[in-house]
Amino acid sequence: GYEGRLGGYRYKENDYFGELSLLHKAPRLASVVVTSPMAKLVSMDNSSFKRLLGPLEPLLERNKEKY
């Protein structure tokens, strides 16, 4: 299983990931394993990300220090 390989960050309700990849138009540097049957996933391409969340770029850049 994945339990022995889990590391890094454990996401909680309403957390997000992948935004740095979209901000910098770069491949993701990590994998995500879902362990909850209640999880919901939203996926978007770069143009949708920019259109919907573009105004939040400064906030997302500032939050990258959490990683």
Side-chain angles (χ1 to χ4, degrees), residues 13-67:
E13 185 175 357
N14 297 318
D15 280 351
Y16 53 86
F17 60 91
E19 76 284 1
L20 297 178
S21 176
L22 290 165
L23 283 171
H24 301 291
K25 295 183 180 174
R28 281 197 33 81
L29 298 176
S31 296
V32 175
V33 175
V34 177
T35 58
S36 169
M38 303 288 289
K40 303 253 190 270
L41 175 68
V42 175
S43 175
M44 66 179 77
D45 61 18
N46 193 270
S47 62
S48 298
F49 176 79
K50 292 287 188 185
R51 182 170 37 85
L52 295 169
L53 299 174
L56 299 176
E57 281 189 41
L59 174 68
L60 295 171
E61 283 287 347
R62 186 176 70 232
N63 285 346
K64 75 180 181 184
E65 301 302 321
K66 293 179 181 179
Y67 310 122

